[in-house]
Amino acid sequence: MIELGSINNPRAAQGFIDFIKSKGLHGELRSQDGQTVIICVAPEHFHQAQPLWQEFAANPHDEKYQQASWQVGSTQSPLSYQGQSLNLKARFKALSWLNRTVTLVSIAIFVAFLLGGFETIYSMLQFNPAQPLTWFTPAIVHFSAIHLIFNLIWWMTLGNDIEKRSGKLTLVGLFLVTAFISNWAQFLLVGPNFGGLSGVVYGLLGFCWIYSAMRPSEPPLVSNSIVGFMLVWLILGFVDMLPVSMANWAHLAGLLAGMAYAVSDKLLSRTQSRK
């Protein structure tokens, strides 16, 4: 075996090994203390693995290494993961301006609600067909901490994956389209009293689902089990079996809009490739 390099983060090192395994390359980890890890590869794979190692060394917390561990990684490891930082601050800073802005603004609005500004702020952000800006603003309004946290986790995770696979403009377009369609659907079918990023989240889910289905040779953006869970959640909302009130039509419209966006994205890429 030939040494590629070393790192003092066993969790990240395991992610890299799982990533190169997904590429058909053979590698292994060696460590004397369970903390500092040496990454080695088979001699015949060294030249292929070297640029991958350089890319990993520049950004060891890229989500693709974690995804590789889910796909091919082993749950058994002699390395000690205790005491390793999750590097949440670095991961958040690595997100795009749109991802961070939507996250921070949503949190700020919810905090402002708690501090007594609900009536004033919500009256400005509530859906109003006569005010075009409010066709989008309900997406950043949340009425409970659980709703906020649930939506932001999905928004940051799926949004980041979409940007890395399809580009930043795709996430911008998805946010605008799914927020617009989901908010209008909820307003027309129920009324103006709603809020939350759920319609957009379901739009991202729909995009990831169809995007991956149309590109079977690529690693999936989202697993079938997650898609199944979210669809069951959507159905439970419609049959009123959940303990909280849900903007069900916003969820469904967002999902369909995201799926349609993925189809149009694929058709557009085919058209451009023929030119």
Side-chain angles (χ1 to χ4, degrees):
M1 302 293 283
I2 300 179
E3 179 180 333
L4 272 178
S6 62
I7 187 173
N8 63 353
N9 188 329
R11 183 185 289 106
Q14 185 64 57
F16 175 74
I17 287 297
D18 293 332
F19 177 73
I20 64 173
K21 283 182 181 179
S22 71
K23 302 291 185 182
L25 309 179
H26 176 63
E28 63 180 39
L29 304 177
R30 297 175 180 175
S31 178
Q32 295 294 325
D33 58 8
Q35 294 292 323
T36 301
V37 185
I38 298 173
I39 290 87
C40 302
V41 295
E44 63 270 21
H45 295 156
F46 177 76
H47 292 295
Q48 293 173 272
Q50 192 173 34
L52 298 178
W53 166 255
Q54 293 173 348
E55 181 181 354
F56 167 77
N59 185 15
H61 304 297
D62 193 300
E63 291 294 332
K64 65 184 179 184
Y65 303 115
Q66 182 179 355
Q67 291 176 358
S69 292
W70 279 106
Q71 294 169 15
V72 303
S74 170
T75 58
Q76 303 298 320
S77 174
L79 305 177
S80 172
Y81 291 172
Q82 296 179 356
Q84 295 298 317
S85 171
L86 294 176
N87 295 295
L88 296 179
K89 183 177 180 180
R91 291 187 178 190
F92 184 77
K93 290 177 66 175
L95 298 174
S96 70
W97 64 269
L98 176 63
N99 205 317
R100 284 182 290 173
T101 299
V102 171
T103 299
L104 293 175
V105 170
S106 298
I107 294 173
I109 290 173
F110 181 71
V111 171
F113 283 175
L114 296 179
L115 295 177
F118 177 82
E119 292 185 3
T120 301
I121 297 174
Y122 185 59
S123 65
M124 294 187 295
L125 302 179
Q126 185 181 25
F127 190 97
N128 185 338
Q131 298 179 5
L133 184 60
T134 66
W135 300 350
F136 304 93
T137 52
I140 55 176
V141 174
H142 294 83
F143 306 114
S144 72
I146 294 177
H147 190 206
L148 174 68
I149 294 170
F150 182 84
N151 280 343
L152 289 184
I153 289 175
W154 285 112
W155 160 253
M156 288 188 287
T157 302
L158 295 178
N160 190 45
D161 291 343
I162 289 171
E163 284 187 310
K164 290 179 178 179
R165 188 73 63 86
S166 191
K168 298 184 184 302
L169 288 179
T170 297
L171 184 61
V172 174
L174 268 172
F175 177 82
L176 295 175
V177 169
T178 57
F180 176 86
I181 293 177
S182 63
N183 288 338
W184 265 104
Q186 186 68 23
F187 168 74
L188 292 173
L189 294 169
V190 179
N193 297 320
F194 65 92
L197 199 59
S198 302
V200 174
V201 166
Y202 267 95
L204 302 188
L205 177 75
F207 177 87
C208 291
W209 183 18
I210 301 304
Y211 182 97
S212 297
M214 299 181 73
R215 295 168 176 82
S217 62
E218 299 181 12
L221 280 170
V222 64
S223 68
N224 290 332
S225 60
I226 289 178
V227 172
F229 167 78
M230 295 294 279
L231 292 180
V232 169
W233 189 264
L234 177 65
I235 294 171
L236 291 177
F238 269 104
V239 297
D240 201 23
M241 293 183 62
L242 296 174
V244 293
S245 177
M246 308 286 287
N248 298 312
W249 291 108
H251 296 175
L252 179 59
L255 177 69
L256 296 176
M259 295 169 69
Y261 200 103
V263 173
S264 63
D265 179 76
K266 180 66 173 179
L267 295 176
L268 181 61
S269 63
R270 285 180 179 176
T271 301
Q272 292 177 339
S273 64
R274 291 172 183 172
K275 293 181 178 180

